[in-house]
mmCIF file of all heavy atoms in Angstrom:
data_model
loop_
_atom_site.group_PDB
_atom_site.id
_atom_site.type_symbol
_atom_site.label_atom_id
_atom_site.label_comp_id
_atom_site.label_asym_id
_atom_site.label_seq_id
_atom_site.Cartn_x
_atom_site.Cartn_y
_atom_site.Cartn_z
ATOM 1 N N MET A 124 -23.266 2.151 -1.220
ATOM 2 C CA MET A 124 -22.216 2.151 -0.222
ATOM 3 C C MET A 124 -21.688 3.576 -0.102
ATOM 4 O O MET A 124 -21.371 4.223 -1.082
ATOM 5 C CB MET A 124 -21.111 1.190 -0.616
ATOM 6 C CG MET A 124 -19.949 1.279 0.322
ATOM 7 S SD MET A 124 -18.397 0.578 -0.213
ATOM 8 C CE MET A 124 -18.726 -1.136 -0.232
ATOM 9 N N VAL A 125 -21.506 4.011 1.080
ATOM 10 C CA VAL A 125 -20.933 5.346 1.363
ATOM 11 C C VAL A 125 -19.583 5.128 2.045
ATOM 12 O O VAL A 125 -19.500 4.394 3.026
ATOM 13 C CB VAL A 125 -21.880 6.177 2.276
ATOM 14 C CG1 VAL A 125 -21.211 7.491 2.626
ATOM 15 C CG2 VAL A 125 -23.221 6.378 1.606
ATOM 16 N N LEU A 126 -18.568 5.763 1.511
ATOM 17 C CA LEU A 126 -17.221 5.672 2.100
ATOM 18 C C LEU A 126 -16.903 6.923 2.846
ATOM 19 O O LEU A 126 -17.261 8.014 2.467
ATOM 20 C CB LEU A 126 -16.179 5.465 0.983
ATOM 21 C CG LEU A 126 -16.306 4.210 0.149
ATOM 22 C CD1 LEU A 126 -15.293 4.212 -0.961
ATOM 23 C CD2 LEU A 126 -16.178 2.955 0.981
ATOM 24 N N SER A 127 -16.203 6.736 3.963
ATOM 25 C CA SER A 127 -15.734 7.885 4.743
ATOM 26 C C SER A 127 -14.584 8.552 4.011
ATOM 27 O O SER A 127 -13.980 7.988 3.089
ATOM 28 C CB SER A 127 -15.282 7.435 6.133
ATOM 29 O OG SER A 127 -14.085 6.709 6.048
ATOM 30 N N LEU A 128 -14.238 9.730 4.450
ATOM 31 C CA LEU A 128 -13.115 10.453 3.845
ATOM 32 C C LEU A 128 -11.817 9.655 4.022
ATOM 33 O O LEU A 128 -10.993 9.581 3.135
ATOM 34 C CB LEU A 128 -12.976 11.856 4.463
ATOM 35 C CG LEU A 128 -12.101 12.820 3.737
ATOM 36 C CD1 LEU A 128 -12.484 12.946 2.252
ATOM 37 C CD2 LEU A 128 -12.148 14.168 4.391
ATOM 38 N N GLY A 129 -11.664 9.029 5.164
ATOM 39 C CA GLY A 129 -10.488 8.201 5.414
ATOM 40 C C GLY A 129 -10.423 6.999 4.497
ATOM 41 O O GLY A 129 -9.367 6.658 3.963
ATOM 42 N N GLU A 130 -11.558 6.371 4.249
ATOM 43 C CA GLU A 130 -11.610 5.227 3.306
ATOM 44 C C GLU A 130 -11.326 5.657 1.900
ATOM 45 O O GLU A 130 -10.645 4.953 1.150
ATOM 46 C CB GLU A 130 -12.997 4.545 3.432
ATOM 47 C CG GLU A 130 -13.211 3.837 4.731
ATOM 48 C CD GLU A 130 -14.646 3.421 4.956
ATOM 49 O OE1 GLU A 130 -15.563 4.147 4.477
ATOM 50 O OE2 GLU A 130 -14.856 2.390 5.651
ATOM 51 N N LEU A 131 -11.828 6.818 1.508
ATOM 52 C CA LEU A 131 -11.534 7.355 0.179
ATOM 53 C C LEU A 131 -10.039 7.637 0.040
ATOM 54 O O LEU A 131 -9.447 7.411 -1.010
ATOM 55 C CB LEU A 131 -12.356 8.620 -0.067
ATOM 56 C CG LEU A 131 -13.836 8.404 -0.259
ATOM 57 C CD1 LEU A 131 -14.561 9.762 -0.226
ATOM 58 C CD2 LEU A 131 -14.116 7.678 -1.564
ATOM 59 N N HIS A 132 -9.427 8.147 1.092
ATOM 60 C CA HIS A 132 -7.997 8.405 1.079
ATOM 61 C C HIS A 132 -7.200 7.118 0.886
ATOM 62 O O HIS A 132 -6.258 7.081 0.117
ATOM 63 C CB HIS A 132 -7.576 9.104 2.382
ATOM 64 C CG HIS A 132 -6.108 9.409 2.457
ATOM 65 N ND1 HIS A 132 -5.534 10.462 1.813
ATOM 66 C CD2 HIS A 132 -5.120 8.739 3.070
ATOM 67 C CE1 HIS A 132 -4.245 10.439 2.056
ATOM 68 N NE2 HIS A 132 -3.967 9.404 2.800
ATOM 69 N N ILE A 133 -7.608 6.076 1.582
ATOM 70 C CA ILE A 133 -6.914 4.767 1.454
ATOM 71 C C ILE A 133 -7.075 4.243 0.029
ATOM 72 O O ILE A 133 -6.118 3.786 -0.576
ATOM 73 C CB ILE A 133 -7.486 3.761 2.452
ATOM 74 C CG1 ILE A 133 -7.084 4.157 3.879
ATOM 75 C CG2 ILE A 133 -7.038 2.323 2.148
ATOM 76 C CD1 ILE A 133 -7.785 3.419 4.974
ATOM 77 N N LEU A 134 -8.262 4.303 -0.509
ATOM 78 C CA LEU A 134 -8.513 3.877 -1.865
ATOM 79 C C LEU A 134 -7.647 4.630 -2.859
ATOM 80 O O LEU A 134 -7.024 4.067 -3.755
ATOM 81 C CB LEU A 134 -10.000 4.011 -2.218
ATOM 82 C CG LEU A 134 -10.416 3.605 -3.635
ATOM 83 C CD1 LEU A 134 -10.048 2.134 -3.885
ATOM 84 C CD2 LEU A 134 -11.918 3.813 -3.795
ATOM 85 N N HIS A 135 -7.576 5.953 -2.700
ATOM 86 C CA HIS A 135 -6.752 6.774 -3.584
ATOM 87 C C HIS A 135 -5.287 6.385 -3.470
ATOM 88 O O HIS A 135 -4.593 6.257 -4.487
ATOM 89 C CB HIS A 135 -6.957 8.251 -3.205
ATOM 90 C CG HIS A 135 -6.248 9.194 -4.098
ATOM 91 N ND1 HIS A 135 -5.112 9.837 -3.729
ATOM 92 C CD2 HIS A 135 -6.536 9.625 -5.373
ATOM 93 C CE1 HIS A 135 -4.687 10.606 -4.709
ATOM 94 N NE2 HIS A 135 -5.549 10.497 -5.741
ATOM 95 N N ALA A 136 -4.793 6.154 -2.253
ATOM 96 C CA ALA A 136 -3.410 5.788 -2.073
ATOM 97 C C ALA A 136 -3.112 4.451 -2.700
ATOM 98 O O ALA A 136 -2.041 4.272 -3.321
ATOM 99 C CB ALA A 136 -3.059 5.750 -0.568
ATOM 100 N N VAL A 137 -4.002 3.514 -2.587
ATOM 101 C CA VAL A 137 -3.792 2.198 -3.204
ATOM 102 C C VAL A 137 -3.746 2.318 -4.730
ATOM 103 O O VAL A 137 -2.896 1.732 -5.381
ATOM 104 C CB VAL A 137 -4.916 1.199 -2.750
ATOM 105 C CG1 VAL A 137 -4.877 -0.065 -3.617
ATOM 106 C CG2 VAL A 137 -4.764 0.859 -1.296
ATOM 107 N N LEU A 138 -4.679 3.088 -5.278
ATOM 108 C CA LEU A 138 -4.693 3.242 -6.751
ATOM 109 C C LEU A 138 -3.409 3.872 -7.271
ATOM 110 O O LEU A 138 -2.923 3.529 -8.327
ATOM 111 C CB LEU A 138 -5.902 4.097 -7.152
ATOM 112 C CG LEU A 138 -7.241 3.390 -7.049
ATOM 113 C CD1 LEU A 138 -8.378 4.412 -7.241
ATOM 114 C CD2 LEU A 138 -7.360 2.249 -8.045
ATOM 115 N N LEU A 139 -2.841 4.795 -6.503
ATOM 116 C CA LEU A 139 -1.617 5.460 -6.919
ATOM 117 C C LEU A 139 -0.346 4.623 -6.685
ATOM 118 O O LEU A 139 0.617 4.795 -7.375
ATOM 119 C CB LEU A 139 -1.471 6.815 -6.227
ATOM 120 C CG LEU A 139 -2.462 7.871 -6.649
ATOM 121 C CD1 LEU A 139 -2.208 9.155 -5.874
ATOM 122 C CD2 LEU A 139 -2.411 8.138 -8.143
ATOM 123 N N SER A 140 -0.428 3.692 -5.760
ATOM 124 C CA SER A 140 0.788 2.927 -5.418
ATOM 125 C C SER A 140 0.823 1.528 -6.009
ATOM 126 O O SER A 140 1.866 0.915 -6.085
ATOM 127 C CB SER A 140 0.958 2.831 -3.894
ATOM 128 O OG SER A 140 -0.101 2.088 -3.345
ATOM 129 N N VAL A 141 -0.294 1.019 -6.495
ATOM 130 C CA VAL A 141 -0.330 -0.341 -6.984
ATOM 131 C C VAL A 141 0.594 -0.562 -8.187
ATOM 132 O O VAL A 141 1.095 -1.678 -8.347
ATOM 133 C CB VAL A 141 -1.780 -0.780 -7.322
ATOM 134 C CG1 VAL A 141 -2.312 -0.086 -8.569
ATOM 135 C CG2 VAL A 141 -1.905 -2.274 -7.456
ATOM 136 N N HIS A 142 0.876 0.467 -8.951
ATOM 137 C CA HIS A 142 1.784 0.290 -10.096
ATOM 138 C C HIS A 142 3.151 -0.181 -9.700
ATOM 139 O O HIS A 142 3.818 -0.919 -10.436
ATOM 140 C CB HIS A 142 1.886 1.598 -10.894
ATOM 141 C CG HIS A 142 2.731 2.621 -10.269
ATOM 142 N ND1 HIS A 142 2.362 3.392 -9.207
ATOM 143 C CD2 HIS A 142 4.037 2.955 -10.535
ATOM 144 C CE1 HIS A 142 3.331 4.171 -8.855
ATOM 145 N NE2 HIS A 142 4.371 3.932 -9.641
ATOM 146 N N SER A 143 3.608 0.172 -8.499
ATOM 147 C CA SER A 143 4.956 -0.192 -8.065
ATOM 148 C C SER A 143 5.077 -1.635 -7.606
ATOM 149 O O SER A 143 6.142 -2.127 -7.330
ATOM 150 C CB SER A 143 5.412 0.752 -6.950
ATOM 151 O OG SER A 143 4.597 0.585 -5.821
ATOM 152 N N MET A 144 3.963 -2.336 -7.553
ATOM 153 C CA MET A 144 3.937 -3.729 -7.086
ATOM 154 C C MET A 144 4.278 -4.704 -8.207
ATOM 155 O O MET A 144 4.425 -5.906 -7.936
ATOM 156 C CB MET A 144 2.619 -4.046 -6.467
ATOM 157 C CG MET A 144 2.247 -3.167 -5.293
ATOM 158 S SD MET A 144 0.554 -3.385 -4.771
ATOM 159 C CE MET A 144 0.773 -4.629 -3.511
ATOM 160 N N PHE A 145 4.360 -4.212 -9.438
ATOM 161 C CA PHE A 145 4.595 -5.076 -10.567
ATOM 162 C C PHE A 145 5.818 -4.601 -11.348
ATOM 163 O O PHE A 145 6.045 -3.403 -11.520
ATOM 164 C CB PHE A 145 3.362 -5.086 -11.511
ATOM 165 C CG PHE A 145 2.134 -5.621 -10.817
ATOM 166 C CD1 PHE A 145 1.267 -4.768 -10.113
ATOM 167 C CD2 PHE A 145 1.861 -6.978 -10.810
ATOM 168 C CE1 PHE A 145 0.169 -5.271 -9.477
ATOM 169 C CE2 PHE A 145 0.743 -7.463 -10.184
ATOM 170 C CZ PHE A 145 -0.099 -6.631 -9.492
ATOM 171 N N ALA A 146 6.592 -5.566 -11.849
ATOM 172 C CA ALA A 146 7.830 -5.226 -12.552
ATOM 173 C C ALA A 146 7.600 -4.654 -13.935
ATOM 174 O O ALA A 146 8.429 -3.894 -14.416
ATOM 175 C CB ALA A 146 8.700 -6.493 -12.656
ATOM 176 N N SER A 147 6.492 -4.993 -14.540
ATOM 177 C CA SER A 147 6.269 -4.517 -15.910
ATOM 178 C C SER A 147 4.777 -4.225 -16.147
ATOM 179 O O SER A 147 3.926 -4.693 -15.369
ATOM 180 C CB SER A 147 6.732 -5.553 -16.907
ATOM 181 O OG SER A 147 5.888 -6.682 -16.859
ATOM 182 N N GLU A 148 4.499 -3.480 -17.174
ATOM 183 C CA GLU A 148 3.119 -3.218 -17.553
ATOM 184 C C GLU A 148 2.396 -4.535 -17.932
ATOM 185 O O GLU A 148 1.219 -4.722 -17.593
ATOM 186 C CB GLU A 148 3.077 -2.262 -18.796
ATOM 187 C CG GLU A 148 1.687 -1.927 -19.228
ATOM 188 C CD GLU A 148 0.940 -1.028 -18.284
ATOM 189 O OE1 GLU A 148 1.555 -0.123 -17.672
ATOM 190 O OE2 GLU A 148 -0.262 -1.232 -18.108
ATOM 191 N N GLU A 149 3.113 -5.456 -18.554
ATOM 192 C CA GLU A 149 2.544 -6.746 -18.931
ATOM 193 C C GLU A 149 2.123 -7.540 -17.681
ATOM 194 O O GLU A 149 1.005 -8.102 -17.640
ATOM 195 C CB GLU A 149 3.519 -7.555 -19.750
ATOM 196 C CG GLU A 149 2.954 -8.897 -20.201
ATOM 197 C CD GLU A 149 3.930 -9.704 -21.022
ATOM 198 O OE1 GLU A 149 5.073 -9.269 -21.259
ATOM 199 O OE2 GLU A 149 3.544 -10.778 -21.467
ATOM 200 N N ALA A 150 2.968 -7.551 -16.679
ATOM 201 C CA ALA A 150 2.646 -8.268 -15.405
ATOM 202 C C ALA A 150 1.462 -7.617 -14.731
ATOM 203 O O ALA A 150 0.567 -8.298 -14.229
ATOM 204 C CB ALA A 150 3.849 -8.321 -14.496
ATOM 205 N N PHE A 151 1.439 -6.303 -14.736
ATOM 206 C CA PHE A 151 0.314 -5.545 -14.154
ATOM 207 C C PHE A 151 -0.974 -5.918 -14.844
ATOM 208 O O PHE A 151 -1.969 -6.269 -14.220
ATOM 209 C CB PHE A 151 0.587 -4.052 -14.268
ATOM 210 C CG PHE A 151 -0.400 -3.167 -13.603
ATOM 211 C CD1 PHE A 151 -0.162 -2.692 -12.345
ATOM 212 C CD2 PHE A 151 -1.583 -2.777 -14.211
ATOM 213 C CE1 PHE A 151 -1.070 -1.862 -11.686
ATOM 214 C CE2 PHE A 151 -2.481 -1.965 -13.596
ATOM 215 C CZ PHE A 151 -2.247 -1.499 -12.310
ATOM 216 N N ASN A 152 -0.964 -5.874 -16.184
ATOM 217 C CA ASN A 152 -2.149 -6.180 -16.951
ATOM 218 C C ASN A 152 -2.595 -7.631 -16.769
ATOM 219 O O ASN A 152 -3.792 -7.904 -16.622
ATOM 220 C CB ASN A 152 -1.944 -5.873 -18.415
ATOM 221 C CG ASN A 152 -3.168 -6.132 -19.253
ATOM 222 O OD1 ASN A 152 -3.307 -7.206 -19.822
ATOM 223 N ND2 ASN A 152 -4.037 -5.168 -19.306
ATOM 224 N N THR A 153 -1.675 -8.565 -16.771
ATOM 225 C CA THR A 153 -1.992 -9.977 -16.617
ATOM 226 C C THR A 153 -2.659 -10.250 -15.241
ATOM 227 O O THR A 153 -3.636 -10.960 -15.165
ATOM 228 C CB THR A 153 -0.730 -10.847 -16.775
ATOM 229 O OG1 THR A 153 -0.171 -10.594 -18.072
ATOM 230 C CG2 THR A 153 -1.023 -12.313 -16.629
ATOM 231 N N GLN A 154 -2.109 -9.674 -14.223
ATOM 232 C CA GLN A 154 -2.622 -9.911 -12.863
ATOM 233 C C GLN A 154 -3.931 -9.194 -12.554
ATOM 234 O O GLN A 154 -4.803 -9.768 -11.899
ATOM 235 C CB GLN A 154 -1.571 -9.535 -11.837
ATOM 236 C CG GLN A 154 -0.356 -10.419 -11.811
ATOM 237 C CD GLN A 154 -0.666 -11.793 -11.284
ATOM 238 O OE1 GLN A 154 -1.340 -11.943 -10.305
ATOM 239 N NE2 GLN A 154 -0.163 -12.814 -11.972
ATOM 240 N N LEU A 155 -4.046 -7.964 -13.026
ATOM 241 C CA LEU A 155 -5.208 -7.152 -12.660
ATOM 242 C C LEU A 155 -6.235 -6.991 -13.755
ATOM 243 O O LEU A 155 -7.372 -6.636 -13.480
ATOM 244 C CB LEU A 155 -4.739 -5.770 -12.177
ATOM 245 C CG LEU A 155 -3.820 -5.766 -10.946
ATOM 246 C CD1 LEU A 155 -3.426 -4.359 -10.563
ATOM 247 C CD2 LEU A 155 -4.476 -6.477 -9.776
ATOM 248 N N GLY A 156 -5.842 -7.208 -14.988
ATOM 249 C CA GLY A 156 -6.801 -7.150 -16.089
ATOM 250 C C GLY A 156 -7.045 -5.770 -16.627
ATOM 251 O O GLY A 156 -7.982 -5.529 -17.387
ATOM 252 N N PHE A 157 -6.245 -4.781 -16.243
ATOM 253 C CA PHE A 157 -6.332 -3.443 -16.813
ATOM 254 C C PHE A 157 -4.931 -2.836 -16.793
ATOM 255 O O PHE A 157 -3.982 -3.475 -16.339
ATOM 256 C CB PHE A 157 -7.363 -2.559 -16.069
ATOM 257 C CG PHE A 157 -7.138 -2.379 -14.621
ATOM 258 C CD1 PHE A 157 -6.461 -1.287 -14.106
ATOM 259 C CD2 PHE A 157 -7.610 -3.323 -13.696
ATOM 260 C CE1 PHE A 157 -6.273 -1.131 -12.751
ATOM 261 C CE2 PHE A 157 -7.442 -3.160 -12.340
ATOM 262 C CZ PHE A 157 -6.760 -2.048 -11.849
ATOM 263 N N TYR A 158 -4.770 -1.646 -17.268
ATOM 264 C CA TYR A 158 -3.479 -1.022 -17.430
ATOM 265 C C TYR A 158 -3.229 -0.015 -16.318
ATOM 266 O O TYR A 158 -4.131 0.504 -15.719
ATOM 267 C CB TYR A 158 -3.349 -0.350 -18.805
ATOM 268 C CG TYR A 158 -3.426 -1.348 -19.953
ATOM 269 C CD1 TYR A 158 -4.609 -1.537 -20.641
ATOM 270 C CD2 TYR A 158 -2.328 -2.101 -20.258
ATOM 271 C CE1 TYR A 158 -4.691 -2.448 -21.657
ATOM 272 C CE2 TYR A 158 -2.392 -3.034 -21.288
ATOM 273 C CZ TYR A 158 -3.565 -3.215 -21.968
ATOM 274 O OH TYR A 158 -3.629 -4.139 -22.978
ATOM 275 N N ARG A 159 -1.922 0.244 -16.077
ATOM 276 C CA ARG A 159 -1.539 1.196 -15.029
ATOM 277 C C ARG A 159 -2.217 2.576 -15.222
ATOM 278 O O ARG A 159 -2.669 3.196 -14.279
ATOM 279 C CB ARG A 159 -0.026 1.379 -15.015
ATOM 280 C CG ARG A 159 0.715 0.194 -14.486
ATOM 281 C CD ARG A 159 2.212 0.387 -14.598
ATOM 282 N NE ARG A 159 2.899 -0.759 -14.010
ATOM 283 C CZ ARG A 159 4.178 -0.956 -14.136
ATOM 284 N NH1 ARG A 159 4.927 -0.122 -14.811
ATOM 285 N NH2 ARG A 159 4.743 -2.007 -13.577
ATOM 286 N N GLU A 160 -2.278 3.018 -16.498
ATOM 287 C CA GLU A 160 -2.884 4.324 -16.738
ATOM 288 C C GLU A 160 -4.339 4.342 -16.339
ATOM 289 O O GLU A 160 -4.845 5.385 -15.910
ATOM 290 C CB GLU A 160 -2.697 4.715 -18.188
ATOM 291 C CG GLU A 160 -3.406 3.790 -19.164
ATOM 292 C CD GLU A 160 -2.960 3.939 -20.593
ATOM 293 O OE1 GLU A 160 -1.765 4.200 -20.839
ATOM 294 O OE2 GLU A 160 -3.817 3.815 -21.466
ATOM 295 N N ASN A 161 -5.022 3.205 -16.389
ATOM 296 C CA ASN A 161 -6.418 3.162 -15.947
ATOM 297 C C ASN A 161 -6.503 3.355 -14.437
ATOM 298 O O ASN A 161 -7.454 3.983 -13.962
ATOM 299 C CB ASN A 161 -7.064 1.834 -16.333
ATOM 300 C CG ASN A 161 -7.098 1.587 -17.806
ATOM 301 O OD1 ASN A 161 -6.570 0.600 -18.284
ATOM 302 N ND2 ASN A 161 -7.713 2.481 -18.559
ATOM 303 N N ALA A 162 -5.548 2.819 -13.683
ATOM 304 C CA ALA A 162 -5.531 3.025 -12.235
ATOM 305 C C ALA A 162 -5.341 4.501 -11.912
ATOM 306 O O ALA A 162 -5.992 5.035 -11.005
ATOM 307 C CB ALA A 162 -4.444 2.153 -11.573
ATOM 308 N N PHE A 163 -4.429 5.153 -12.639
ATOM 309 C CA PHE A 163 -4.194 6.580 -12.400
ATOM 310 C C PHE A 163 -5.417 7.401 -12.768
ATOM 311 O O PHE A 163 -5.773 8.358 -12.028
ATOM 312 C CB PHE A 163 -2.976 7.064 -13.216
ATOM 313 C CG PHE A 163 -1.666 6.512 -12.730
ATOM 314 C CD1 PHE A 163 -0.760 5.964 -13.643
ATOM 315 C CD2 PHE A 163 -1.337 6.511 -11.403
ATOM 316 C CE1 PHE A 163 0.443 5.445 -13.200
ATOM 317 C CE2 PHE A 163 -0.133 5.972 -10.951
ATOM 318 C CZ PHE A 163 0.753 5.460 -11.844
ATOM 319 N N GLU A 164 -6.087 7.065 -13.864
ATOM 320 C CA GLU A 164 -7.303 7.778 -14.251
ATOM 321 C C GLU A 164 -8.426 7.553 -13.249
ATOM 322 O O GLU A 164 -9.181 8.480 -12.957
ATOM 323 C CB GLU A 164 -7.729 7.371 -15.644
ATOM 324 C CG GLU A 164 -6.825 7.874 -16.732
ATOM 325 C CD GLU A 164 -6.737 9.405 -16.774
ATOM 326 O OE1 GLU A 164 -7.770 10.077 -16.618
ATOM 327 O OE2 GLU A 164 -5.626 9.912 -16.975
ATOM 328 N N LEU A 165 -8.512 6.371 -12.720
ATOM 329 C CA LEU A 165 -9.527 6.089 -11.696
ATOM 330 C C LEU A 165 -9.243 6.898 -10.442
ATOM 331 O O LEU A 165 -10.154 7.472 -9.833
ATOM 332 C CB LEU A 165 -9.567 4.608 -11.382
ATOM 333 C CG LEU A 165 -10.632 4.110 -10.433
ATOM 334 C CD1 LEU A 165 -12.032 4.516 -10.927
ATOM 335 C CD2 LEU A 165 -10.526 2.600 -10.268
ATOM 336 N N ALA A 166 -7.963 7.002 -10.044
ATOM 337 C CA ALA A 166 -7.612 7.830 -8.874
ATOM 338 C C ALA A 166 -7.968 9.303 -9.140
ATOM 339 O O ALA A 166 -8.498 9.960 -8.232
ATOM 340 C CB ALA A 166 -6.107 7.691 -8.594
ATOM 341 N N ASN A 167 -7.686 9.773 -10.337
ATOM 342 C CA ASN A 167 -8.032 11.154 -10.667
ATOM 343 C C ASN A 167 -9.548 11.373 -10.655
ATOM 344 O O ASN A 167 -10.027 12.416 -10.227
ATOM 345 C CB ASN A 167 -7.443 11.568 -12.019
ATOM 346 C CG ASN A 167 -5.970 11.727 -11.994
ATOM 347 O OD1 ASN A 167 -5.381 11.980 -10.949
ATOM 348 N ND2 ASN A 167 -5.316 11.532 -13.139
ATOM 349 N N GLY A 168 -10.280 10.386 -11.178
ATOM 350 C CA GLY A 168 -11.737 10.481 -11.164
ATOM 351 C C GLY A 168 -12.293 10.489 -9.734
ATOM 352 O O GLY A 168 -13.270 11.176 -9.462
ATOM 353 N N LEU A 169 -11.674 9.729 -8.871
ATOM 354 C CA LEU A 169 -12.091 9.698 -7.470
ATOM 355 C C LEU A 169 -11.897 11.073 -6.817
ATOM 356 O O LEU A 169 -12.793 11.582 -6.137
ATOM 357 C CB LEU A 169 -11.297 8.636 -6.725
ATOM 358 C CG LEU A 169 -11.570 8.472 -5.222
ATOM 359 C CD1 LEU A 169 -13.009 8.011 -5.012
ATOM 360 C CD2 LEU A 169 -10.616 7.459 -4.638
ATOM 361 N N VAL A 170 -10.777 11.711 -7.072
ATOM 362 C CA VAL A 170 -10.520 13.048 -6.534
ATOM 363 C C VAL A 170 -11.539 14.029 -7.066
ATOM 364 O O VAL A 170 -12.110 14.848 -6.309
ATOM 365 C CB VAL A 170 -9.076 13.484 -6.903
ATOM 366 C CG1 VAL A 170 -8.885 14.991 -6.562
ATOM 367 C CG2 VAL A 170 -8.058 12.681 -6.130
ATOM 368 N N LYS A 171 -11.814 13.941 -8.354
ATOM 369 C CA LYS A 171 -12.775 14.862 -8.988
ATOM 370 C C LYS A 171 -14.185 14.670 -8.393
ATOM 371 O O LYS A 171 -14.882 15.643 -8.081
ATOM 372 C CB LYS A 171 -12.824 14.651 -10.488
ATOM 373 C CG LYS A 171 -13.916 15.447 -11.190
ATOM 374 C CD LYS A 171 -13.354 16.347 -12.245
ATOM 375 C CE LYS A 171 -14.395 17.073 -13.052
ATOM 376 N NZ LYS A 171 -15.299 17.916 -12.305
ATOM 377 N N ALA A 172 -14.579 13.422 -8.171
ATOM 378 C CA ALA A 172 -15.897 13.137 -7.592
ATOM 379 C C ALA A 172 -15.996 13.694 -6.179
ATOM 380 O O ALA A 172 -17.041 14.260 -5.786
ATOM 381 C CB ALA A 172 -16.148 11.655 -7.591
ATOM 382 N N VAL A 173 -14.932 13.586 -5.390
ATOM 383 C CA VAL A 173 -14.926 14.103 -4.017
ATOM 384 C C VAL A 173 -14.981 15.649 -4.057
ATOM 385 O O VAL A 173 -15.736 16.263 -3.296
ATOM 386 C CB VAL A 173 -13.729 13.620 -3.214
ATOM 387 C CG1 VAL A 173 -13.558 14.357 -1.903
ATOM 388 C CG2 VAL A 173 -13.816 12.115 -2.979
ATOM 389 N N GLU A 174 -14.226 16.251 -4.965
ATOM 390 C CA GLU A 174 -14.246 17.701 -5.096
ATOM 391 C C GLU A 174 -15.642 18.171 -5.519
ATOM 392 O O GLU A 174 -16.165 19.158 -4.966
ATOM 393 C CB GLU A 174 -13.234 18.158 -6.138
ATOM 394 C CG GLU A 174 -11.817 18.050 -5.698
ATOM 395 C CD GLU A 174 -10.788 18.374 -6.800
ATOM 396 O OE1 GLU A 174 -11.173 18.362 -7.968
ATOM 397 O OE2 GLU A 174 -9.647 18.629 -6.453
ATOM 398 N N ASP A 175 -16.259 17.508 -6.452
ATOM 399 C CA ASP A 175 -17.600 17.862 -6.890
ATOM 400 C C ASP A 175 -18.645 17.732 -5.780
ATOM 401 O O ASP A 175 -19.480 18.567 -5.593
ATOM 402 C CB ASP A 175 -18.032 17.014 -8.102
ATOM 403 C CG ASP A 175 -17.246 17.347 -9.356
ATOM 404 O OD1 ASP A 175 -16.510 18.355 -9.391
ATOM 405 O OD2 ASP A 175 -17.357 16.566 -10.329
ATOM 406 N N ALA A 176 -18.514 16.646 -5.013
ATOM 407 C CA ALA A 176 -19.423 16.418 -3.910
ATOM 408 C C ALA A 176 -19.267 17.505 -2.831
ATOM 409 O O ALA A 176 -20.257 17.982 -2.265
ATOM 410 C CB ALA A 176 -19.219 15.034 -3.318
ATOM 411 N N ALA A 177 -18.005 17.887 -2.591
ATOM 412 C CA ALA A 177 -17.738 18.921 -1.577
ATOM 413 C C ALA A 177 -18.268 20.273 -2.049
ATOM 414 O O ALA A 177 -18.769 21.080 -1.242
ATOM 415 C CB ALA A 177 -16.253 19.001 -1.300
ATOM 416 N N ALA A 178 -18.199 20.523 -3.332
ATOM 417 C CA ALA A 178 -18.620 21.797 -3.879
ATOM 418 C C ALA A 178 -20.144 21.949 -3.815
ATOM 419 O O ALA A 178 -20.668 23.059 -3.682
ATOM 420 C CB ALA A 178 -18.173 21.972 -5.309
ATOM 421 N N THR A 179 -20.854 20.855 -3.878
ATOM 422 C CA THR A 179 -22.340 20.915 -3.890
ATOM 423 C C THR A 179 -22.906 20.845 -2.466
ATOM 424 O O THR A 179 -24.086 21.002 -2.287
ATOM 425 C CB THR A 179 -22.935 19.777 -4.730
ATOM 426 O OG1 THR A 179 -22.542 18.501 -4.212
ATOM 427 C CG2 THR A 179 -22.537 19.893 -6.194
ATOM 428 N N SER A 180 -22.057 20.579 -1.504
ATOM 429 C CA SER A 180 -22.544 20.460 -0.088
ATOM 430 C C SER A 180 -22.626 21.806 0.565
ATOM 431 O O SER A 180 -21.958 22.721 0.312
ATOM 432 C CB SER A 180 -21.632 19.621 0.722
ATOM 433 O OG SER A 180 -21.344 18.382 0.183
#
């Protein structure tokens, strides 16, 4: 699957904002099955992957 730059932006925004949808870390983990810090790391990894892809193009 190939995502457009706009779709990547939406995904990044969701990953950074999803933490505010839950009152506690426990609720976040129970509902989503991972921790808030994992969402932030995934968002950072997404940015790095886009930067790396842009650098090789």
Side-chain angles (χ1 to χ4, degrees):
M124 174 196 292
V125 176
L126 298 175
S127 71
L128 195 53
E130 291 167 328
L131 289 168
H132 179 80
I133 291 168
L134 180 57
H135 185 256
V137 168
L138 288 169
L139 291 180
S140 65
V141 71
H142 77 282
S143 65
M144 301 170 93
F145 298 91
S147 68
E148 181 69 39
E149 181 180 2
F151 186 95
N152 181 266
T153 300
Q154 291 290 315
L155 299 180
F157 58 96
Y158 296 100
R159 290 175 177 170
E160 63 195 36
N161 299 122
F163 292 132
E164 289 300 319
L165 186 56
N167 289 335
L169 179 62
V170 169
K171 174 122 176 58
V173 169
E174 287 174 343
D175 291 350
T179 60
S180 308

